[in-house]
Amino acid sequence: AAAYDLQKLIQSSGGSGAVLVKGGHAENPDACVDILYDGKEFQAFSAPRLNTRCTHGTGCTLASACAAWLARGESIPSAVEKAKQYVYEAMSNAEPLGKGQGPLNHGYLIKT
């Protein structure tokens, strides 16, 4: 529903041309589905829901990873797909630190 509200807002204001709505807080117990609206159509990006408390910074990381892939010349849908995979892997490889929501492991690709 939020994505459709954003569609109306973008169309009426001239907007940015693309909006990504993160679905990590949705009630789907099996998957996290993010919705991209590119100004013309909707596209869903799904990943299995992880049983982890290491979720602090997922939104900022997703936005930054999208921007990085766009800067490398990827299309918007491709950038979102690659960014979502990066966030998923950073969550999958995170170690729970402290109490509450732990951080992602942004350096999971670095081998020591």
Side-chain angles (χ1 to χ4, degrees):
Y4 292 103
D5 291 340
L6 287 171
Q7 173 189 12
K8 291 177 189 173
L9 179 64
I10 290 170
Q11 289 172 335
S12 67
S13 69
S16 67
V19 173
L20 180 63
V21 179
K22 217 166 106 358
H25 293 287
E27 295 183 11
N28 184 338
D30 300 319
C32 295
V33 181
D34 299 343
I35 305 294
L36 172 67
Y37 178 68
D38 67 1
K40 295 178 186 167
E41 61 186 18
F42 291 93
Q43 187 172 351
F45 297 85
S46 183
R49 185 172 296 279
L50 295 170
N51 183 18
T52 181
R53 63 181 183 81
C54 298
T55 59
H56 184 75
T58 54
C60 294
T61 300
L62 182 63
S64 297
C66 284
W69 283 111
L70 289 169
R72 292 184 63 138
E74 294 292 331
S75 67
I76 292 173
S78 176
V80 170
E81 182 176 7
K82 290 178 178 190
K84 186 165 179 74
Q85 182 64 35
Y86 172 74
V87 171
Y88 181 84
E89 294 298 332
M91 289 173 61
S92 296
N93 289 283
E95 294 292 329
L97 302 174
K99 298 179 181 177
Q101 287 184 306
L104 307 180
N105 181 358
H106 293 96
Y108 72 90
L109 290 172
I110 299 171
K111 307 287 186 219
T112 57

